[in-house]
Amino acid sequence: EFAVKDQLVGSSLDGAVTCGKLIQKDDPAAFRIAGGSGRNLPGGIGYDPGSHGSGLPCCAGRTGGNGMKKKVLFVGTVLQGHMLLFHLPCMQWFQQQGYEVHLACHNDTDHEVTEVPFCDQYFNLPFARSPFNTRNIGVYRQLKQLINEHEYALIHCHTPVGSILGRLSARKARKKGTRVVYSAHGFHFFKGAPLKNWLLFYPVEWLAAHWTDLLITTNEEDAQRAQRLPAKKKVKVNGVGVDLTRFDPPTDRREARD
């Protein structure tokens, strides 16, 4: 088991794993993402932090040697279609540990977004989901400048294109102590996948794994495949987390029918 320790950056990696285990290990009702309930988010998504809203361990503020708050950057391709759906609990956890939380992804909503829950700074970068889209060249330059400017303690990457650009941009920062995490939500190269997926995504992922301090997988096939990748550390968590109480059968069948 990965425990959340009181020492930093090393424990940041454990914290990234802990976020994946919060719902499975600490409290199955810890977080709920449910449309139309709780706080209104961009794009009409509702968020309800549940019983863990103020119950997670918290500190006065994680600080570096210069007295500034430690920063963590979340990187993904799109805001509404991914980051808001899966990563708000993890972002909240890092905020409650005293980190300054930043988010870099493309705003795929139909309106301007200036604030994101549990995010101190949001950077709207024009990520494209296709690895062949030339927009990603500009994103790489912007992301690299952003990472070098803010000196993050931890960069947590998500989605195939977002994770490749994030890890590529963080190469210089890693030499200065930044730790880079990639949560794989399902490799594109898998048993039965098209040959083109293997020819494109496997070599790129193998290369990017050289710049990965922690690779998190969420299923057994990916976990086995990850053992062949040169990431420094690999760990499997059982899914991205789900509130099991939402699937409890009703105690009164007649009431449920009504």
Side-chain angles (χ1 to χ4, degrees):
E1 292 293 340
F2 286 82
V4 181
K5 303 167 187 172
D6 242 356
Q7 50 196 345
L8 210 46
V9 184
S11 67
S12 298
L13 299 183
D14 292 349
V17 178
T18 301
C19 284
K21 293 188 175 182
L22 276 175
I23 297 174
Q24 305 157 30
K25 176 182 174 184
D26 294 342
D27 184 350
F31 297 105
R32 300 190 296 276
I33 296 179
S37 66
R39 189 175 309 178
N40 291 323
L41 301 185
I45 301 173
Y47 176 70
D48 177 4
S51 62
H52 252 315
S54 60
L56 287 174
C58 184
C59 62
R62 300 286 193 180
T63 58
N66 57 3
M68 301 287 288
K69 264 190 175 184
K70 289 280 186 178
K71 300 176 183 178
V72 57
L73 173 67
F74 284 78
V75 179
T77 307
V78 293
L79 178 65
Q80 179 175 258
H82 184 84
M83 301 306 294
L84 291 181
L85 291 176
F86 297 107
H87 303 302
L88 293 183
C90 200
M91 292 165 63
Q92 182 188 29
W93 184 90
F94 274 101
Q95 267 198 347
Q96 292 184 318
Q97 298 305 304
Y99 288 83
E100 184 176 323
V101 176
H102 293 187
L103 171 63
C105 62
H106 174 56
N107 175 17
D108 59 333
T109 70
D110 57 2
H111 58 275
E112 182 181 1
V113 173
T114 56
E115 293 184 2
V116 175
F118 315 121
C119 175
D120 297 290
Q121 284 197 58
Y122 168 55
F123 302 98
N124 180 16
L125 303 185
F127 285 91
R129 281 180 164 171
S130 169
F132 303 107
N133 194 309
T134 55
R135 278 193 352 225
N136 289 323
I137 298 174
V139 171
Y140 163 69
R141 292 170 180 161
Q142 291 176 276
L143 194 56
K144 185 177 179 180
Q145 181 180 356
L146 181 68
I147 290 172
N148 291 338
E149 176 185 344
H150 285 279
E151 300 181 347
Y152 294 103
L154 180 73
I155 299 174
H156 199 166
C157 302
H158 302 271
T159 68
V161 171
S163 73
I164 296 298
L165 292 176
R167 288 176 286 176
L168 186 64
S169 303
R171 288 175 297 167
K172 181 179 178 181
R174 286 185 70 242
K175 296 178 181 178
K176 298 181 179 180
T178 298
R179 296 294 177 261
V180 176
V181 176
Y182 171 38
S183 288
H185 299 269
F187 289 135
H188 282 297
F189 44 92
F190 53 88
K191 186 177 180 180
L195 178 61
K196 64 180 181 179
N197 285 28
W198 283 90
L199 294 176
L200 173 62
F201 288 104
Y202 185 81
V204 172
E205 184 56 49
W206 184 87
L207 181 63
H210 287 85
W211 315 315
T212 307
D213 295 291
L214 175 64
L215 172 58
I216 301 175
T217 56
T218 57
N219 64 72
E220 187 58 34
E221 182 178 348
D222 283 356
Q224 294 298 322
R225 198 80 63 196
Q227 297 308 312
R228 299 184 180 183
L229 299 174
K232 280 193 173 181
K233 193 171 190 175
K234 280 91 71 172
V235 66
K236 175 193 167 212
V237 297
N238 294 319
V240 295
V242 63
D243 178 6
L244 297 178
T245 62
R246 296 182 64 189
F247 300 93
D248 285 346
T251 54
D252 190 330
R253 291 177 178 245
R254 288 174 298 179
E255 181 180 342
R257 292 192 187 100
D258 295 338

